[in-house]
Amino acid sequence: MKEIFKPFENIGRNSRLLIIASWVIAVLAFWFISSMGERHLFPSPAQVLRGFTELYNEGLVVHIGSSLWLCLVAIVIAVTISLILSYLSTIPVITPIANALSKLRYLPLTGITFYLAIIISDARTMQVWVLVVFMSTYLTTSLLSMVSAIAQEEFDHARSLQCNRWEVLWEVVVKGRIDHVIEVIRQNLAIVWMMLVTVESILVAAGGLGFLIKNSDKFMNHGRIIALQIVILVVGLSIDFILNYLRKTFFRYSKI
């Protein structure tokens, strides 16, 4: 047992499961203790369970579908923009544009929505583009780092095979780093999923998990809020697991 308290110690599968189970029990115990008494930090498990029931009866599945669709549309557009700019950043004339987009990640969300509201009138379209701008900045930053981290030996090897410059770009940067791209998307997807609640408050009529949280917060229904937080976490972790599984399945020899 002493091994689990030592840094860089390799432990077996049973030990890992024991540690996870211990932490789960500790968290549940803290939850039960903190929900006792008249004044408590968290709603009781019974309140959260009742919140799940109420949310399901109010169409929780439909709202999850609305949030996932919004997220999917934004991701497809953001990934397309970021990939094109990142791949073309190897061309000197495009490099400043890609670098400028990555620097926009310092802009606050309020500033982004202000300028988009001037250009876009449709609220649903505005939701999509707020997420697109927000994700594109971080995604481009990660992809530029990926491109710059490619060893010079790989480019030299492609040139030794008589590849021209465009073929080098295709073989080394595009085809040779697809597994890295999936990992970058997986990491940055968490940012979009985290911002989903804020963005969905722009148009409550479209529904979504953000609408449910705003509505529950307005009526101070803490049981529903915690239930929704659990749903958002579970859905987000499920998306992360699926992307990681696909990467490991299609790129079995990935070094990531």
Side-chain angles (χ1 to χ4, degrees):
M1 288 297 291
K2 293 181 180 180
E3 286 76 12
I4 65 175
F5 298 101
K6 296 179 181 179
F8 308 113
E9 185 70 31
N10 291 322
I11 59 175
R13 182 172 178 271
N14 291 335
S15 297
R16 286 197 299 269
L17 292 176
L18 179 61
I19 293 172
I20 294 172
S22 300
W23 279 113
V24 171
I25 293 173
V27 170
L28 291 176
F30 176 77
W31 183 12
F32 276 97
I33 294 173
S34 61
S35 63
M36 295 172 61
E38 295 182 2
R39 299 182 62 182
H40 45 77
L41 182 61
F42 297 109
S44 66
Q47 289 176 308
V48 175
L49 184 60
R50 186 162 58 250
F52 275 116
T53 305
E54 293 174 358
L55 289 168
Y56 180 79
N57 293 333
E58 293 177 16
L60 175 62
V61 177
V62 176
H63 287 287
I64 292 176
S66 175
S67 295
L68 287 174
W69 178 250
L70 172 62
C71 197
L72 176 62
V73 173
I75 288 170
V76 170
I77 298 174
V79 168
T80 302
I81 294 173
S82 300
L83 285 177
I84 291 175
L85 284 177
S86 299
Y87 290 151
L88 295 182
S89 67
T90 55
I91 304 174
V93 72
I94 305 295
T95 303
I97 300 176
N99 289 331
L101 178 59
S102 69
K103 297 300 185 290
L104 293 179
R105 66 186 185 276
Y106 294 104
L107 279 178
L109 184 62
T110 304
I112 295 174
T113 55
F114 174 77
Y115 288 106
L116 286 177
I118 299 175
I119 304 172
I120 303 171
S121 57
D122 181 65
R124 187 64 171 181
T125 305
M126 185 175 174
Q127 283 182 327
V128 172
W129 280 100
V130 168
L131 287 177
V132 168
V133 173
F134 202 79
M135 184 178 184
S136 295
T137 57
Y138 289 95
L139 191 58
T140 302
T141 302
S142 301
L143 290 172
L144 289 176
S145 298
M146 177 199 75
V147 174
S148 63
I150 299 176
Q152 184 62 38
E153 289 79 5
E154 296 190 45
F155 295 109
D156 295 338
H157 180 254
R159 292 192 185 100
S160 69
L161 297 175
Q162 305 302 316
C163 294
N164 60 42
R165 293 179 182 269
W166 289 102
E167 289 173 334
V168 170
L169 175 63
W170 173 252
E171 295 294 336
V172 178
V173 180
V174 180
K175 287 177 60 178
R177 289 298 184 274
I178 296 178
D179 55 330
H180 288 72
V181 170
I182 295 176
E183 180 65 16
V184 167
I185 294 173
R186 185 176 75 89
Q187 295 294 338
N188 286 269
L189 182 59
I191 300 174
V192 176
W193 194 246
M194 179 187 67
M195 292 301 301
L196 197 65
V197 172
T198 303
V199 172
E200 283 183 331
S201 63
I202 297 174
L203 179 63
V204 296
L209 296 171
F211 161 74
L212 290 177
I213 283 190
K214 294 283 288 185
N215 193 42
S216 301
D217 182 60
K218 182 169 63 177
F219 294 103
M220 298 295 290
N221 192 328
H222 295 161
R224 285 169 55 119
I225 293 175
I226 296 298
L228 281 167
Q229 295 279 17
I230 294 174
V231 170
I232 292 173
L233 179 61
V234 170
V235 174
L237 291 175
S238 299
I239 296 173
D240 183 84
F241 173 80
I242 291 171
L243 285 176
N244 196 37
Y245 176 79
L246 291 175
R247 180 182 64 80
K248 291 182 178 180
T249 301
F250 291 104
F251 305 96
R252 295 173 60 188
Y253 302 103
S254 172
K255 297 179 182 179
I256 302 176

